[in-house]
Amino acid sequence: MSFFCLQCGMDMHKPERICPYCKSVQYEEPSAVNMAAAAKALNGRAAGRKSKSRLYDYTDEELLATGLYPDDEAYRMGLISNVLNKKK
């Protein structure tokens, strides 16, 4: 899995908060206020979904797009399978 810097585009090989090449910040540390607002939004969003034990409670599409899943080929293939087999 590759992770690219949002500023310079270099391959960082793993997710890091600060790019080792250009030293730009990739993401901000979450504050307590932002985490509370995100939890409130997720609780409202998750009410219409089946409750499964999900990593971070994101959809499979969000996990696959952001790379927020364990570095495991079987898990990634399971996500891809779930996304492709999802009924619209």
Side-chain angles (χ1 to χ4, degrees), residues 57-72:
D57 198 33
Y58 290 131
T59 64
D60 291 337
E61 292 88 354
E62 291 168 334
L63 285 173
L64 197 56
T66 58
L68 292 174
Y69 52 86
D71 193 20
D72 179 14

Side-chain angles (χ1 to χ4, degrees), residues 31-69:
S31 68
V33 174
N34 289 344
M35 292 302 289
K40 185 177 178 183
L42 280 175
N43 286 339
R45 205 175 104 199
R49 275 200 312 229
K50 276 201 273 183
S51 177
K52 278 200 232 180
S53 163
R54 284 202 151 122
L55 186 63
Y56 304 117
D57 198 33
Y58 290 131
T59 64
D60 291 337
E61 292 88 354
E62 291 168 334
L63 285 173
L64 197 56
T66 58
L68 292 174
Y69 52 86

Side-chain angles (χ1 to χ4, degrees), residues 1-84:
M1 180 100 216
S2 295
F3 296 90
F4 296 96
C5 173
L6 299 172
Q7 183 68 30
C8 68
M10 295 294 290
D11 188 0
M12 297 188 300
H13 303 292
K14 61 181 181 173
E16 296 183 31
R17 185 173 181 275
I18 298 177
C19 175
Y21 302 104
C22 69
K23 307 298 183 213
S24 69
V25 177
Q26 301 300 303
Y27 59 90
E28 295 296 326
E29 291 293 328
S31 68
V33 174
N34 289 344
M35 292 302 289
K40 185 177 178 183
L42 280 175
N43 286 339
R45 205 175 104 199
R49 275 200 312 229
K50 276 201 273 183
S51 177
K52 278 200 232 180
S53 163
R54 284 202 151 122
L55 186 63
Y56 304 117
D57 198 33
Y58 290 131
T59 64
D60 291 337
E61 292 88 354
E62 291 168 334
L63 285 173
L64 197 56
T66 58
L68 292 174
Y69 52 86
D71 193 20
D72 179 14
E73 187 68 19
Y75 192 90
R76 184 174 72 85
M77 295 307 286
L79 285 175
I80 291 171
S81 177
N82 290 345
V83 169
L84 292 177

